[in-house]
Amino acid sequence: NAGVTQTPKFQVLKTGQSMTLQCAQDMNHEYMSWYRQDPGMGLRLIHYSVGAGITDQGEVPNGYNVSRSTTEDFPLRLLSAAPSQTSVYFCASRDRGLTGNTIYFGEGSWLTVV
Amino acid sequence: AQKVTQAQTEISVVEKEDVTLDCVYETRDTTYYLFWYKQPPSGELVFLIRRNSFDEQNEISGRYSWNFQKSTSSFNFTITASQVVDSAVYFCALSERGYGQNFVFGPGTRLSVLP
């Protein structure tokens, strides 16, 4: 059972570089989201999507772009990496229709911007 | 606005001790869901429990138990007879009513169980 798959698991970027974190889920969940985790701050929502073609901003969207062309995939793009974006990123998904359904997380992507 | 507070940043206990992790939440909604997730040193986030706002029954699962009290807006998590494998960061989270409503996480409590 794959669940939510994130790649890459580790990445080092130079300031100003761009990259895409990939996220795919095989549970046919319509709701997907990206969080970043920083020490002492828990998880903060970056962007989310309630279905293919629909995305919206979360708490900390600046410097990130997302798109949702299919139900399965929800990539997160860093446009011009900054050291402040050094963090652990989690992709998550959950089912539509039943509020409060459990959110399932990917294994995380450790990103360092130097 | 919704908010989750976990006042305990770090807790250390000796193996076999009981430990309670506190979670206090704020919400204006009458329908909401509360969650606990565990993040072991390997980094993944593991779902532990979900509780809806209409169900105040306490829940026990093995050495884990949860105490939900709407009167104090708390959803505390107790580990009985702690073990070294319980060492992790534990997150409490809140989700309000309405599809698309997002989760709000507390800052987490780091639990260290010493042998």
Side-chain angles (χ1 to χ4, degrees), chain B residues 78-106:
Chain B
T78 297
I79 302 174
T80 303
S82 60
Q83 300 176 0
V84 173
V85 293
D86 296 326
S87 297
V89 180
Y90 291 86
F91 292 97
C92 182
L94 166 70
S95 175
E96 291 178 334
R97 175 181 50 186
Y99 181 72
Q101 291 298 320
N102 297 301
F103 280 56
V104 171
F105 286 84

PDB file of all heavy atoms in Angstrom, chain B residues 78-106:
ATOM      1  N   THR B  78      -2.652  10.226  27.597  1.00  0.00           N
ATOM      2  CA  THR B  78      -1.872   9.591  28.659  1.00  0.00           C
ATOM      3  C   THR B  78      -1.263   8.291  28.149  1.00  0.00           C
ATOM      4  O   THR B  78      -1.953   7.476  27.526  1.00  0.00           O
ATOM      5  CB  THR B  78      -2.737   9.314  29.890  1.00  0.00           C
ATOM      6  OG1 THR B  78      -3.203  10.559  30.424  1.00  0.00           O
ATOM      7  CG2 THR B  78      -1.940   8.571  30.961  1.00  0.00           C
ATOM      8  N   ILE B  79       0.008   8.128  28.421  1.00  0.00           N
ATOM      9  CA  ILE B  79       0.690   6.862  28.138  1.00  0.00           C
ATOM     10  C   ILE B  79       0.975   6.206  29.482  1.00  0.00           C
ATOM     11  O   ILE B  79       1.624   6.807  30.358  1.00  0.00           O
ATOM     12  CB  ILE B  79       1.998   7.077  27.366  1.00  0.00           C
ATOM     13  CG1 ILE B  79       1.729   7.808  26.045  1.00  0.00           C
ATOM     14  CG2 ILE B  79       2.691   5.735  27.100  1.00  0.00           C
ATOM     15  CD1 ILE B  79       2.994   8.179  25.279  1.00  0.00           C
ATOM     16  N   THR B  80       0.487   5.022  29.649  1.00  0.00           N
ATOM     17  CA  THR B  80       0.683   4.265  30.890  1.00  0.00           C
ATOM     18  C   THR B  80       1.888   3.341  30.733  1.00  0.00           C
ATOM     19  O   THR B  80       2.075   2.736  29.674  1.00  0.00           O
ATOM     20  CB  THR B  80      -0.576   3.441  31.205  1.00  0.00           C
ATOM     21  OG1 THR B  80      -1.697   4.329  31.300  1.00  0.00           O
ATOM     22  CG2 THR B  80      -0.418   2.677  32.509  1.00  0.00           C
ATOM     23  N   ALA B  81       2.684   3.256  31.777  1.00  0.00           N
ATOM     24  CA  ALA B  81       3.864   2.375  31.751  1.00  0.00           C
ATOM     25  C   ALA B  81       4.691   2.639  30.499  1.00  0.00           C
ATOM     26  O   ALA B  81       4.872   1.767  29.643  1.00  0.00           O
ATOM     27  CB  ALA B  81       3.437   0.917  31.831  1.00  0.00           C
ATOM     28  N   SER B  82       5.189   3.846  30.397  1.00  0.00           N
ATOM     29  CA  SER B  82       5.882   4.277  29.182  1.00  0.00           C
ATOM     30  C   SER B  82       7.063   3.370  28.846  1.00  0.00           C
ATOM     31  O   SER B  82       7.672   2.737  29.732  1.00  0.00           O
ATOM     32  CB  SER B  82       6.357   5.722  29.343  1.00  0.00           C
ATOM     33  OG  SER B  82       7.235   5.830  30.446  1.00  0.00           O
ATOM     34  N   GLN B  83       7.369   3.332  27.549  1.00  0.00           N
ATOM     35  CA  GLN B  83       8.488   2.544  27.056  1.00  0.00           C
ATOM     36  C   GLN B  83       9.388   3.427  26.200  1.00  0.00           C
ATOM     37  O   GLN B  83       8.949   4.460  25.687  1.00  0.00           O
ATOM     38  CB  GLN B  83       7.962   1.373  26.211  1.00  0.00           C
ATOM     39  CG  GLN B  83       7.054   0.427  26.955  1.00  0.00           C
ATOM     40  CD  GLN B  83       6.489  -0.663  26.071  1.00  0.00           C
ATOM     41  OE1 GLN B  83       6.769  -0.722  24.866  1.00  0.00           O
ATOM     42  NE2 GLN B  83       5.687  -1.552  26.658  1.00  0.00           N
ATOM     43  N   VAL B  84      10.609   2.988  26.035  1.00  0.00           N
ATOM     44  CA  VAL B  84      11.568   3.772  25.249  1.00  0.00           C
ATOM     45  C   VAL B  84      11.034   4.041  23.845  1.00  0.00           C
ATOM     46  O   VAL B  84      11.241   5.115  23.275  1.00  0.00           O
ATOM     47  CB  VAL B  84      12.938   3.062  25.197  1.00  0.00           C
ATOM     48  CG1 VAL B  84      13.883   3.778  24.243  1.00  0.00           C
ATOM     49  CG2 VAL B  84      13.549   2.986  26.591  1.00  0.00           C
ATOM     50  N   VAL B  85      10.297   3.082  23.290  1.00  0.00           N
ATOM     51  CA  VAL B  85       9.761   3.256  21.932  1.00  0.00           C
ATOM     52  C   VAL B  85       8.694   4.334  21.852  1.00  0.00           C
ATOM     53  O   VAL B  85       8.298   4.745  20.752  1.00  0.00           O
ATOM     54  CB  VAL B  85       9.162   1.934  21.387  1.00  0.00           C
ATOM     55  CG1 VAL B  85      10.257   0.914  21.183  1.00  0.00           C
ATOM     56  CG2 VAL B  85       8.067   1.407  22.298  1.00  0.00           C
ATOM     57  N   ASP B  86       8.233   4.816  22.997  1.00  0.00           N
ATOM     58  CA  ASP B  86       7.262   5.913  23.002  1.00  0.00           C
ATOM     59  C   ASP B  86       7.945   7.260  22.798  1.00  0.00           C
ATOM     60  O   ASP B  86       7.264   8.279  22.619  1.00  0.00           O
ATOM     61  CB  ASP B  86       6.491   5.944  24.320  1.00  0.00           C
ATOM     62  CG  ASP B  86       5.637   4.709  24.529  1.00  0.00           C
ATOM     63  OD1 ASP B  86       5.112   4.158  23.535  1.00  0.00           O
ATOM     64  OD2 ASP B  86       5.490   4.277  25.703  1.00  0.00           O
ATOM     65  N   SER B  87       9.253   7.287  22.840  1.00  0.00           N
ATOM     66  CA  SER B  87       9.980   8.544  22.623  1.00  0.00           C
ATOM     67  C   SER B  87       9.679   9.078  21.234  1.00  0.00           C
ATOM     68  O   SER B  87       9.923   8.403  20.230  1.00  0.00           O
ATOM     69  CB  SER B  87      11.488   8.317  22.781  1.00  0.00           C
ATOM     70  OG  SER B  87      11.808   7.922  24.089  1.00  0.00           O
ATOM     71  N   ALA B  88       9.157  10.290  21.191  1.00  0.00           N
ATOM     72  CA  ALA B  88       8.707  10.873  19.925  1.00  0.00           C
ATOM     73  C   ALA B  88       8.218  12.287  20.195  1.00  0.00           C
ATOM     74  O   ALA B  88       8.136  12.727  21.346  1.00  0.00           O
ATOM     75  CB  ALA B  88       7.577  10.051  19.309  1.00  0.00           C
ATOM     76  N   VAL B  89       7.888  12.978  19.124  1.00  0.00           N
ATOM     77  CA  VAL B  89       7.159  14.236  19.247  1.00  0.00           C
ATOM     78  C   VAL B  89       5.696  13.932  18.980  1.00  0.00           C
ATOM     79  O   VAL B  89       5.366  13.246  18.013  1.00  0.00           O
ATOM     80  CB  VAL B  89       7.668  15.301  18.251  1.00  0.00           C
ATOM     81  CG1 VAL B  89       6.872  16.597  18.411  1.00  0.00           C
ATOM     82  CG2 VAL B  89       9.154  15.547  18.455  1.00  0.00           C
ATOM     83  N   TYR B  90       4.836  14.430  19.836  1.00  0.00           N
ATOM     84  CA  TYR B  90       3.411  14.174  19.719  1.00  0.00           C
ATOM     85  C   TYR B  90       2.685  15.483  19.394  1.00  0.00           C
ATOM     86  O   TYR B  90       2.887  16.502  20.056  1.00  0.00           O
ATOM     87  CB  TYR B  90       2.860  13.569  21.005  1.00  0.00           C
ATOM     88  CG  TYR B  90       3.359  12.168  21.250  1.00  0.00           C
ATOM     89  CD1 TYR B  90       4.573  11.946  21.906  1.00  0.00           C
ATOM     90  CD2 TYR B  90       2.644  11.061  20.808  1.00  0.00           C
ATOM     91  CE1 TYR B  90       5.058  10.661  22.113  1.00  0.00           C
ATOM     92  CE2 TYR B  90       3.109   9.776  21.006  1.00  0.00           C
ATOM     93  CZ  TYR B  90       4.315   9.581  21.659  1.00  0.00           C
ATOM     94  OH  TYR B  90       4.792   8.304  21.858  1.00  0.00           O
ATOM     95  N   PHE B  91       1.857  15.413  18.361  1.00  0.00           N
ATOM     96  CA  PHE B  91       1.105  16.590  17.917  1.00  0.00           C
ATOM     97  C   PHE B  91      -0.382  16.382  18.150  1.00  0.00           C
ATOM     98  O   PHE B  91      -0.938  15.332  17.807  1.00  0.00           O
ATOM     99  CB  PHE B  91       1.326  16.852  16.427  1.00  0.00           C
ATOM    100  CG  PHE B  91       2.715  17.287  16.080  1.00  0.00           C
ATOM    101  CD1 PHE B  91       3.651  16.370  15.628  1.00  0.00           C
ATOM    102  CD2 PHE B  91       3.091  18.608  16.216  1.00  0.00           C
ATOM    103  CE1 PHE B  91       4.934  16.771  15.293  1.00  0.00           C
ATOM    104  CE2 PHE B  91       4.373  19.019  15.892  1.00  0.00           C
ATOM    105  CZ  PHE B  91       5.297  18.094  15.434  1.00  0.00           C
ATOM    106  N   CYS B  92      -1.000  17.403  18.688  1.00  0.00           N
ATOM    107  CA  CYS B  92      -2.453  17.471  18.777  1.00  0.00           C
ATOM    108  C   CYS B  92      -2.924  18.350  17.622  1.00  0.00           C
ATOM    109  O   CYS B  92      -2.256  19.331  17.259  1.00  0.00           O
ATOM    110  CB  CYS B  92      -2.843  18.068  20.127  1.00  0.00           C
ATOM    111  SG  CYS B  92      -4.609  18.185  20.435  1.00  0.00           S
ATOM    112  N   ALA B  93      -4.071  18.020  17.025  1.00  0.00           N
ATOM    113  CA  ALA B  93      -4.560  18.784  15.874  1.00  0.00           C
ATOM    114  C   ALA B  93      -6.071  18.939  15.937  1.00  0.00           C
ATOM    115  O   ALA B  93      -6.769  18.117  16.542  1.00  0.00           O
ATOM    116  CB  ALA B  93      -4.154  18.105  14.570  1.00  0.00           C
ATOM    117  N   LEU B  94      -6.559  19.985  15.305  1.00  0.00           N
ATOM    118  CA  LEU B  94      -7.988  20.315  15.297  1.00  0.00           C
ATOM    119  C   LEU B  94      -8.440  20.528  13.858  1.00  0.00           C
ATOM    120  O   LEU B  94      -7.750  21.181  13.078  1.00  0.00           O
ATOM    121  CB  LEU B  94      -8.211  21.605  16.103  1.00  0.00           C
ATOM    122  CG  LEU B  94      -9.550  22.326  15.973  1.00  0.00           C
ATOM    123  CD1 LEU B  94     -10.659  21.517  16.632  1.00  0.00           C
ATOM    124  CD2 LEU B  94      -9.465  23.710  16.604  1.00  0.00           C
ATOM    125  N   SER B  95      -9.602  19.996  13.523  1.00  0.00           N
ATOM    126  CA  SER B  95     -10.206  20.227  12.210  1.00  0.00           C
ATOM    127  C   SER B  95     -11.648  20.638  12.420  1.00  0.00           C
ATOM    128  O   SER B  95     -12.396  19.950  13.114  1.00  0.00           O
ATOM    129  CB  SER B  95     -10.132  18.957  11.363  1.00  0.00           C
ATOM    130  OG  SER B  95     -10.803  19.135  10.134  1.00  0.00           O
ATOM    131  N   GLU B  96     -12.047  21.761  11.829  1.00  0.00           N
ATOM    132  CA  GLU B  96     -13.410  22.232  12.000  1.00  0.00           C
ATOM    133  C   GLU B  96     -14.320  21.665  10.918  1.00  0.00           C
ATOM    134  O   GLU B  96     -13.880  21.023   9.979  1.00  0.00           O
ATOM    135  CB  GLU B  96     -13.450  23.755  12.005  1.00  0.00           C
ATOM    136  CG  GLU B  96     -12.807  24.360  13.244  1.00  0.00           C
ATOM    137  CD  GLU B  96     -12.806  25.862  13.230  1.00  0.00           C
ATOM    138  OE1 GLU B  96     -12.833  26.447  12.143  1.00  0.00           O
ATOM    139  OE2 GLU B  96     -12.771  26.462  14.321  1.00  0.00           O
ATOM    140  N   ARG B  97     -15.604  21.949  11.034  1.00  0.00           N
ATOM    141  CA  ARG B  97     -16.608  21.437  10.123  1.00  0.00           C
ATOM    142  C   ARG B  97     -16.437  22.000   8.727  1.00  0.00           C
ATOM    143  O   ARG B  97     -15.951  23.094   8.548  1.00  0.00           O
ATOM    144  CB  ARG B  97     -17.986  21.830  10.655  1.00  0.00           C
ATOM    145  CG  ARG B  97     -19.161  21.468   9.764  1.00  0.00           C
ATOM    146  CD  ARG B  97     -20.456  21.936  10.392  1.00  0.00           C
ATOM    147  NE  ARG B  97     -20.396  23.326  10.807  1.00  0.00           N
ATOM    148  CZ  ARG B  97     -21.368  23.907  11.484  1.00  0.00           C
ATOM    149  NH1 ARG B  97     -22.436  23.219  11.829  1.00  0.00           N
ATOM    150  NH2 ARG B  97     -21.272  25.161  11.827  1.00  0.00           N
ATOM    151  N   GLY B  98     -16.899  21.245   7.753  1.00  0.00           N
ATOM    152  CA  GLY B  98     -16.889  21.744   6.385  1.00  0.00           C
ATOM    153  C   GLY B  98     -15.775  21.145   5.578  1.00  0.00           C
ATOM    154  O   GLY B  98     -14.614  21.229   5.963  1.00  0.00           O
ATOM    155  N   TYR B  99     -16.115  20.546   4.468  1.00  0.00           N
ATOM    156  CA  TYR B  99     -15.095  19.936   3.628  1.00  0.00           C
ATOM    157  C   TYR B  99     -14.124  21.000   3.155  1.00  0.00           C
ATOM    158  O   TYR B  99     -14.498  22.074   2.762  1.00  0.00           O
ATOM    159  CB  TYR B  99     -15.731  19.241   2.425  1.00  0.00           C
ATOM    160  CG  TYR B  99     -14.676  18.599   1.585  1.00  0.00           C
ATOM    161  CD1 TYR B  99     -14.035  17.459   2.046  1.00  0.00           C
ATOM    162  CD2 TYR B  99     -14.272  19.147   0.384  1.00  0.00           C
ATOM    163  CE1 TYR B  99     -13.033  16.874   1.306  1.00  0.00           C
ATOM    164  CE2 TYR B  99     -13.284  18.563  -0.359  1.00  0.00           C
ATOM    165  CZ  TYR B  99     -12.663  17.436   0.101  1.00  0.00           C
ATOM    166  OH  TYR B  99     -11.664  16.865  -0.624  1.00  0.00           O
ATOM    167  N   GLY B 100     -12.872  20.672   3.166  1.00  0.00           N
ATOM    168  CA  GLY B 100     -11.847  21.623   2.787  1.00  0.00           C
ATOM    169  C   GLY B 100     -11.271  22.355   3.970  1.00  0.00           C
ATOM    170  O   GLY B 100     -10.222  22.976   3.848  1.00  0.00           O
ATOM    171  N   GLN B 101     -11.959  22.302   5.104  1.00  0.00           N
ATOM    172  CA  GLN B 101     -11.388  22.912   6.292  1.00  0.00           C
ATOM    173  C   GLN B 101     -10.095  22.202   6.638  1.00  0.00           C
ATOM    174  O   GLN B 101      -9.994  20.988   6.572  1.00  0.00           O
ATOM    175  CB  GLN B 101     -12.368  22.797   7.469  1.00  0.00           C
ATOM    176  CG  GLN B 101     -13.604  23.670   7.301  1.00  0.00           C
ATOM    177  CD  GLN B 101     -13.264  25.139   7.244  1.00  0.00           C
ATOM    178  OE1 GLN B 101     -12.408  25.613   7.958  1.00  0.00           O
ATOM    179  NE2 GLN B 101     -13.917  25.861   6.356  1.00  0.00           N
ATOM    180  N   ASN B 102      -9.145  22.991   6.988  1.00  0.00           N
ATOM    181  CA  ASN B 102      -7.832  22.415   7.182  1.00  0.00           C
ATOM    182  C   ASN B 102      -7.561  22.090   8.636  1.00  0.00           C
ATOM    183  O   ASN B 102      -8.250  22.544   9.527  1.00  0.00           O
ATOM    184  CB  ASN B 102      -6.782  23.388   6.661  1.00  0.00           C
ATOM    185  CG  ASN B 102      -6.945  23.615   5.194  1.00  0.00           C
ATOM    186  OD1 ASN B 102      -6.882  22.680   4.413  1.00  0.00           O
ATOM    187  ND2 ASN B 102      -7.185  24.851   4.809  1.00  0.00           N
ATOM    188  N   PHE B 103      -6.537  21.333   8.791  1.00  0.00           N
ATOM    189  CA  PHE B 103      -6.088  20.974  10.125  1.00  0.00           C
ATOM    190  C   PHE B 103      -5.223  22.106  10.689  1.00  0.00           C
ATOM    191  O   PHE B 103      -4.429  22.703   9.975  1.00  0.00           O
ATOM    192  CB  PHE B 103      -5.234  19.713  10.064  1.00  0.00           C
ATOM    193  CG  PHE B 103      -6.022  18.454   9.975  1.00  0.00           C
ATOM    194  CD1 PHE B 103      -6.940  18.255   8.969  1.00  0.00           C
ATOM    195  CD2 PHE B 103      -5.826  17.436  10.889  1.00  0.00           C
ATOM    196  CE1 PHE B 103      -7.659  17.079   8.877  1.00  0.00           C
ATOM    197  CE2 PHE B 103      -6.528  16.259  10.802  1.00  0.00           C
ATOM    198  CZ  PHE B 103      -7.447  16.080   9.802  1.00  0.00           C
ATOM    199  N   VAL B 104      -5.370  22.340  11.990  1.00  0.00           N
ATOM    200  CA  VAL B 104      -4.454  23.210  12.704  1.00  0.00           C
ATOM    201  C   VAL B 104      -3.731  22.354  13.727  1.00  0.00           C
ATOM    202  O   VAL B 104      -4.383  21.646  14.516  1.00  0.00           O
ATOM    203  CB  VAL B 104      -5.201  24.363  13.406  1.00  0.00           C
ATOM    204  CG1 VAL B 104      -4.255  25.121  14.307  1.00  0.00           C
ATOM    205  CG2 VAL B 104      -5.808  25.293  12.372  1.00  0.00           C
ATOM    206  N   PHE B 105      -2.422  22.418  13.698  1.00  0.00           N
ATOM    207  CA  PHE B 105      -1.619  21.596  14.599  1.00  0.00           C
ATOM    208  C   PHE B 105      -1.080  22.414  15.747  1.00  0.00           C
ATOM    209  O   PHE B 105      -0.767  23.597  15.602  1.00  0.00           O
ATOM    210  CB  PHE B 105      -0.435  20.993  13.836  1.00  0.00           C
ATOM    211  CG  PHE B 105      -0.820  19.877  12.910  1.00  0.00           C
ATOM    212  CD1 PHE B 105      -1.292  20.147  11.642  1.00  0.00           C
ATOM    213  CD2 PHE B 105      -0.708  18.563  13.319  1.00  0.00           C
ATOM    214  CE1 PHE B 105      -1.663  19.124  10.782  1.00  0.00           C
ATOM    215  CE2 PHE B 105      -1.078  17.528  12.464  1.00  0.00           C
ATOM    216  CZ  PHE B 105      -1.553  17.816  11.204  1.00  0.00           C
ATOM    217  N   GLY B 106      -0.954  21.771  16.896  1.00  0.00           N
ATOM    218  CA  GLY B 106      -0.219  22.366  17.982  1.00  0.00           C
ATOM    219  C   GLY B 106       1.266  22.294  17.698  1.00  0.00           C
ATOM    220  O   GLY B 106       1.695  21.640  16.744  1.00  0.00           O
TER     221      GLY B 106
END
